Amino acid sequence: MFAAALLAAALSSLQPAGWDRDLKLAEAVDLNPDPHIVEINLDARVAHVEIAPGIGADAWTYDGGIPGPLIRVHVGDRLIVHFTNHLPQPTTVHWHGVRVPIQMDGVPDVSQPAVPTGGTFTYDFVVPDAGLYWYHPHVMSAAQVGFGLYGALLVEDPDEQVGVADETVLVLSDIGIDEHGKLEPPDSGGSTGMAFGREGNYQLVNGRLRPRLAVRSGAPQRWRIVNAARSRFFQLDLDGQTITRIGGDGGLIEHPLALQTLVLAPGERADVILAPRGAPGSEFSVVSFLFNRGYGSTEFRMADSLFTLAFDEAPAYAGPPLPVTHRVIQAISTVGATAVNIDFTLVQRADHNFEYGINGVPFATGHPVTAMPGETQVWTITNKTKWSHPFHLHGFFVQVLDENGQPVHPLEWKDTVNVPLEQTVRLVVRYDDRAGSWMFHCHILDHADGGLMGMVDVGVSPVDHSEHAH
Ligand code: C2O
Ligand code: CU
């Protein structure tokens, strides 16, 4: 009784009323009365969006907004999405990080035919793991994501107690809009633009330019963050105030990590708790520091304010310390694992255009990695290029190993892992029985389209994937 009362007290809001109104995401409407089924409509269409008063463009959107609607489900729920494509181009929806059956993975010609203009497709799968995931197209990904097609999928576990009532989902991205309100062409800068990875000129938080969050000094809040940018890394900094990371791509991590800055590569997620402090009535900028992801990423550029924390007039909150989250995660055993060695490469072809590849071969001509259901593989990925590449594997979580092949703590389930320029990263993955051809690629989507992409055939006889467009 007493414990329950304490818990209830701990879980009432500590923030000013409407604290996240300025950046709150629209939510998808569940049309199904069954408490274990979330059934929604999702419509991709061109729509005029404003990122700030007077700044906008005809963007590519899900349901008319950037980002698309937040989809909220409980772990174990069945999610049914009636998708319609009203874009001028074929598209698909990929459920980034979710362990779906291959038929629901959204890869054109592997999982499904691309959905043509005016066409529909129903995605229907069970959501097996709690955490923050996201959805985006897998056709012309760099262009379509760059134009605004992305949204968050929050899979909640009602039994998960982190002791913080105030929670908000932050979709970080960017968009290129010129002074006439036109979207930046997807091929701007040609092959050099591709080699770098195109970044938009406006950084967005939930589709807004520098929105504000009304907060009470010292009061804890939980941010569920996804980096949905096509190429940009974010490096969040609150003037050195502690950011406690409790979760990552695939839900809670083994134990919390106290950070000064939080780096998110494209595709990555973080679950963090903060209790920012500031003088009542003052304002504070959350800045994204430039992150060195390779040549051209920090030179002659300025760090930008992402959003503003506006402290209300209430005196600083002083509450009891928060519970420390723990999650038991089993390290995947590497005993008997198959070794897979991959190099990320960049060459300049005879026509002077740049071309990324896996082991020197671009996706279109590459051979798949093969695996059996139940097999464990240790991937050693060496980045031989001058730019960092966030490696993303579809369908399965990986764990990161250190240079001696030992698990890195805190243990966590990842689907997107940055491979820094000219460095090597080791990962372990255990496939289950979801047979199929699963993609892996750099989540700088220009790099993926530029060749940095491959396939893992799990339990299927090798086939020629060369016709499969991204
Ligand atoms: Cu979020 Cu194939 O990617
Ligand atoms: Cu890359």
Side-chain angles (χ1 to χ4, degrees):
M1 197 62 196
F2 180 64
L6 257 185
L7 195 60
L11 288 180
S12 57
S13 173
L14 299 172
Q15 304 297 341
W19 69 298
D20 63 347
R21 189 189 296 131
D22 197 24
L23 50 68
K24 211 171 174 48
L25 293 166
E27 293 200 16
V29 178
D30 179 10
L31 305 169
N32 194 308
D34 187 316
H36 302 295
I37 302 177
V38 172
E39 185 164 5
I40 66 167
N41 292 322
L42 191 70
D43 180 32
R45 60 173 182 265
V46 175
H48 190 80
V49 296
E50 282 216 324
I51 59 169
I55 309 177
D58 288 333
W60 290 26
T61 74
Y62 291 117
D63 286 1
I66 294 183
L70 170 63
I71 303 173
R72 208 185 268 275
V73 297
H74 283 160
V75 63
D77 280 357
R78 176 173 166 201
L79 175 62
I80 305 171
V81 180
H82 301 286
F83 175 70
T84 309
N85 178 17
H86 285 121
L87 300 168
Q89 222 173 54
T91 192
T92 58
V93 185
H94 169 61
W95 305 92
H96 183 121
V98 183
R99 296 191 297 151
V100 294
I102 191 69
Q103 296 81 4
M104 296 293 125
D105 199 41
V107 175
D109 304 325
V110 175
S111 311
Q112 62 172 104
V115 184
T117 303
T120 62
F121 189 85
T122 299
Y123 294 92
D124 185 344
F125 53 88
V126 168
V127 183
D129 306 286
L132 179 65
Y133 303 89
W134 64 297
Y135 58 96
H136 64 77
H138 228 282
V139 175
M140 311 277 289
S141 310
Q144 294 195 1
V145 170
F147 285 167
L149 290 169
Y150 40 83
L153 167 62
L154 183 59
V155 184
E156 297 178 305
D157 179 351
D159 295 330
E160 191 180 281
Q161 300 291 346
V162 310
V164 178
D166 298 296
E167 175 179 320
T168 193
V169 175
L170 303 176
V171 179
L172 308 183
S173 67
D174 62 14
I175 194 163
I177 303 177
D178 72 12
E179 61 275 24
H180 309 293
K182 278 248 166 316
L183 291 174
E184 181 187 358
D187 57 352
S188 70
S191 154
T192 312
M194 182 283 292
F196 177 61
R198 299 169 180 98
E199 298 183 6
N201 53 337
Y202 293 109
Q203 299 186 71
L204 304 178
V205 179
N206 293 357
R208 309 293 300 164
L209 187 62
R210 280 188 285 279
R212 94 186 19 223
L213 202 54
V215 300
R216 178 176 178 187
S217 178
Q221 49 191 288
R222 181 181 186 187
W223 297 350
R224 318 290 303 261
I225 315 174
V226 50
N227 180 355
R230 147 192 205 181
S231 300
R232 182 186 293 270
F233 283 56
F234 289 90
Q235 178 165 215
L236 267 54
D237 182 276
L238 283 86
D239 227 4
Q241 298 203 46
T242 302
I243 301 172
T244 303
R245 187 167 77 86
I246 62 169
D249 295 348
L252 296 179
I253 60 180
E254 190 179 24
H255 56 76
L257 269 180
L259 306 170
Q260 300 301 301
T261 63
L262 175 71
V263 176
L264 281 174
E268 275 189 306
R269 284 88 70 206
D271 185 352
V272 299
I273 292 175
L274 326 84
R277 293 186 168 273
S282 71
E283 289 202 347
F284 180 92
S285 250
V286 177
V287 173
S288 179
F289 275 163
L290 295 173
F291 179 78
N292 182 13
R293 66 170 182 90
Y295 180 74
S297 59
T298 55
E299 298 87 350
F300 308 109
R301 305 176 89 204
M302 299 256 288
D304 229 340
S305 163
L306 259 186
F307 60 108
T308 302
L309 301 183
F311 293 98
D312 75 349
E313 297 294 341
Y317 173 81
L322 294 172
V324 176
T325 58
H326 282 287
R327 179 178 175 194
V328 177
I329 296 178
Q330 222 56 258
I332 300 174
S333 167
T334 57
V335 175
T338 316
V340 174
N341 297 305
I342 296 267
D343 289 347
F344 288 166
T345 52
L346 177 65
V347 297
Q348 201 161 11
R349 297 187 316 220
D351 64 5
H352 298 295
N353 281 334
F354 289 106
E355 186 173 77
Y356 278 108
I358 307 289
N359 300 334
V361 183
F363 175 63
T365 49
H367 291 293
V369 172
T370 55
M372 293 305 292
E375 182 174 336
T376 302
Q377 293 184 337
V378 171
W379 286 43
T380 302
I381 305 173
T382 300
N383 182 352
K384 300 212 156 151
T385 78
K386 294 196 178 313
W387 286 283
S388 298
H389 303 294
F391 167 88
H392 170 51
L393 174 64
H394 284 207
F396 303 92
F397 289 127
V398 303
Q399 290 178 356
V400 180
L401 304 175
D402 66 16
E403 56 270 32
N404 303 313
Q406 296 304 307
V408 170
H409 291 271
L411 290 166
E412 63 176 308
W413 296 111
K414 297 282 292 165
D415 53 63
T416 307
V417 178
N418 186 38
V419 185
L421 55 141
E422 296 171 330
Q423 288 186 38
T424 296
V425 160
R426 292 161 194 81
L427 307 170
V428 58
V429 55
R430 190 194 295 130
Y431 304 100
D432 56 33
D433 57 4
R434 285 169 303 129
S437 295
W438 299 93
M439 300 219 75
F440 65 91
H441 57 87
C442 176
H443 223 287
I444 292 179
L445 296 171
D446 287 307
H447 294 176
D449 288 356
L452 227 180
M453 190 153 64
M455 199 71 97
V456 187
D457 282 344
V458 179
V460 290
S461 44
V463 290
D464 176 14
H465 293 296
S466 56
E467 316 230 305
H468 300 146
H470 184 53

